[in-house]
Amino acid sequence: MTDRSDRWGALLGRANRGEAVAYAAFLQDVTPVIRTIVRGRSSSEFENEDIVQEVLLAIHAKRHTWREGDPVAPWLYAIARYKTADAFRRRKGAVQVPIDDLAERLADEAPGDPTAARDLGRLLEGIDERSAGIVRAVGVEGESAGEVGARMGMSEGAVRVAYHRALTRLKKMAGSKE
Amino acid sequence: MKTEDLIATLAAEPAPPPAASLERRAGLGAVAGLAVTVVLFLAVLGPRANLGAALSDPVVLAKTLMPLLLALFAGALALRSARPAVPSGVPGRIVWLVPAAVGALFFWALGATEAGQRLVAFLGHSTQVCIPAITVLSLPILAGLIHAMRGGAPVHPARSGALAGLAAAGMAAAIYSLFCTEDSPLFYAVWYSVAIGVATGIGAVAGRRFLRW
């Protein structure tokens, strides 16, 4: 346990000084631990990996709050617990409709409505990479949600929902620019 | 995105700012807030007459020093709480000395004041100024602290906000005490504490709202 915290400390210290290799090793090393923490709070496997990624992003954004010499493990667990609780709370507070019920209706979403906008490329830069990738694949390249899901490790329904949300955001952005 | 790809993307980003910047930001935030508070104080209230002479009495000096000490410890605690899993340490253990000392002052004054004068001293003549003034004076400092702490990672946002509120209220009470002519601990030990409590509550609410990440 302490060994692990020491190893993480050494890696994160080097990472914060700009060593990308050490940082990648650190993130890879902690990911299974985060996965366990997320799984411990989750009642289904559904979206767990999304939350793991949210925790990784949080660790990334807040890695400067760890001071060299402090034990890494408690720091990491505190962030993971906070972010996991936060993620589950938000998902609970959000629309409670099971994605698969929604998927049938979302399929009607005409692809290419805001995607026809001339400055789609610019709009896509304004949303996160993952959503932009889904919009490109489904809306522009015309891949099916199932294909995209298989490639990205998401369920078909999750891809449709992500696509729908991304389109809503893009519409909003396109609207605010005009 | 696969988690592997995410890790690769994150690892490719430039290194973060150095770890000390949270303390620096908090210092700057507190000083900026303090400047607003001092201007507000000078514009609306201003120091009492013969301030220097009054402060030569240790009981009066305590009215300024106690909240100042509280602000110091609470500020240190707020900063610690903005880093995940950092224990409250020494400031967490000694911060209790301040309320203990204020309580002792109160009971000392209770004994030292004539029975007929106690209620008069306790009620004073300015609670309706004291409580809102300390609360309002604390707000700019609270804003500065909260703004700085958003650069940290408080895993208990309400608690961190409350600690920031406590620190801000301590500074505000110390400043307000330079105006206040109620010199009996029977007054200030109680009503300053009430005002500081209100400001701490505001801090908790603000923390819950603004310190989430």
Side-chain angles (χ1 to χ4, degrees), chain B residues 33-34 37-38 41 45 63-64 67-68 70-71 130-142 164-180 192 195-196 199:
Chain B
L34 205 57
T37 294
V38 167
F41 171 76
L45 301 170
K63 185 170 62 165
T64 304
L68 216 49
L70 181 72
C130 167
I131 295 172
I134 291 178
T135 307
V136 169
L137 288 175
S138 79
L139 295 181
I141 307 170
L142 175 66
L166 192 62
M171 288 185 226
I175 291 170
Y176 176 79
S177 72
L178 304 177
F179 159 82
C180 172
Y192 278 35
I196 290 170

Side-chain angles (χ1 to χ4, degrees), chain A residues 21-33:
Chain A
V21 179
Y23 191 32
F26 169 76
L27 291 175
Q28 245 136 29
D29 219 23
V30 301
T31 300
V33 180

Side-chain angles (χ1 to χ4, degrees), chain B residues 103-132:
Chain B
L105 257 174
F106 177 85
F107 285 108
W108 168 81
L110 202 60
T113 311
E114 273 175 56
Q117 286 303 306
R118 282 178 192 154
L119 191 63
V120 178
F122 164 69
L123 291 175
H125 53 78
S126 63
T127 46
Q128 69 276 35
V129 180
C130 167
I131 295 172

Side-chain angles (χ1 to χ4, degrees), chain A residues 49 53 60 62-65 83, chain B residues 1 3 13-14 151-152 213:
Chain A
E49 200 59 20
Q53 295 192 1
H60 177 71
K62 299 298 186 181
R63 64 202 192 283
H64 63 281
T65 63
K83 267 298 163 190
Chain B
M1 187 189 271
T3 303
E13 292 204 357
W213 50 281

